[in-house]
Amino acid sequence: MRPRVFLLKAGSILRDQAGNILDARSSVTLIESEKERIIVDTGQEGDGEVILKALADLGLEGSDIDIIVNTHSHPDHCANNRLFSRAKTVYPKDGELIAPGVRVLATPGHSPDSISVLVDAAIHPPRGDGTAPATRRVVISGDALPTLGNFQKSVPPAVHYDRALAVASMNKIIEMADMVIPGHDCPFSLRE
């Protein structure tokens, strides 16, 4: 069974007219593998109710989550780790397999510890059309590729500690992904 990916909460970013960040809230994503349920990024303080409702809509609750992976240690990406009291928080390294079909990609630049999660996911066709599920490579990018605008303008995140690394990480994601779940925007496809 290939893993399945569910967006629990799309990320967002609010800026003033000068471009200063007023509010940043990360995407929160659930990966269901054959044996484990994995949350990638747990969001900003105050997002807990939305996240738990999205889980409930899938017939799950916080205690059903086995693993937490944070793309980096900024509070807008990990402030709700406490919602998943039974889950083990892991800090995987580049190339490490988290579950079958789910591995880590080092994507530093925004922060030294930035990672992305690469999922070879099953995309199921509409019911009854007779075709088998397709596999699409989904990259949950955190702030290595924070918005669709970063992709469209080919610019790295505005907040970064190393611009060259940020550009290289963003390009790595674009090269590998069929679909991106960015840190602060709605998911978007790169290839059909």
Side-chain angles (χ1 to χ4, degrees):
M1 174 184 132
R2 293 215 177 265
R4 299 183 306 162
V5 177
F6 301 90
L7 181 67
L8 299 178
K9 187 190 84 54
S12 62
I13 193 160
L14 178 64
R15 296 179 186 271
D16 64 17
Q17 289 185 344
N20 300 307
I21 297 172
L22 301 174
D23 187 56
R25 297 185 179 269
S26 77
S27 297
V28 179
T29 306
L30 169 68
I31 302 168
E32 279 193 331
S33 74
E34 192 168 337
K35 295 182 180 175
E36 294 159 325
R37 292 186 179 109
I38 304 159
I39 292 284
V40 179
D41 287 339
T42 62
Q44 178 70 284
E45 190 66 40
D47 289 340
E49 192 174 311
V50 171
I51 295 163
L52 292 175
K53 180 175 182 333
L55 278 175
D57 289 347
L58 294 170
L60 301 170
E61 50 191 52
S63 61
D64 292 320
I65 303 306
D66 302 299
I67 297 172
I68 297 169
V69 178
N70 297 117
T71 58
H72 60 292
S73 58
H74 292 167
D76 58 320
H77 290 262
C78 61
N80 288 308
N81 286 8
R82 63 180 168 59
L83 294 176
F84 310 103
S85 58
R86 198 180 69 70
K88 175 182 170 186
T89 302
V90 298
Y91 304 93
K93 302 293 181 215
D94 188 38
E96 189 173 328
L97 200 64
I98 300 169
V102 182
R103 69 182 167 96
V104 172
L105 192 62
T107 50
H110 171 69
S111 68
D113 65 338
S114 287
I115 61 168
S116 295
V117 177
L118 190 141
V119 184
D120 289 321
I123 307 297
H124 294 272
R127 292 178 187 232
D129 83 347
T131 59
T135 300
R136 296 204 56 199
R137 182 162 280 171
V138 177
V139 175
I140 305 163
S141 66
D143 286 353
L145 183 51
T147 69
L148 174 61
N150 290 96
F151 167 69
Q152 291 171 328
K153 296 173 187 171
S154 194
V155 296
V159 177
H160 55 268
Y161 83 99
D162 185 310
R163 188 175 201 290
L165 280 176
V167 169
S169 291
M170 191 173 78
N171 289 336
K172 184 189 305 185
I173 292 165
I174 291 166
E175 191 176 293
M176 298 184 87
D178 296 320
M179 173 179 276
V180 175
I181 298 176
H184 293 283
D185 209 344
C186 293
F188 58 90
S189 287
L190 298 174
R191 290 171 260 298
E192 291 305 318

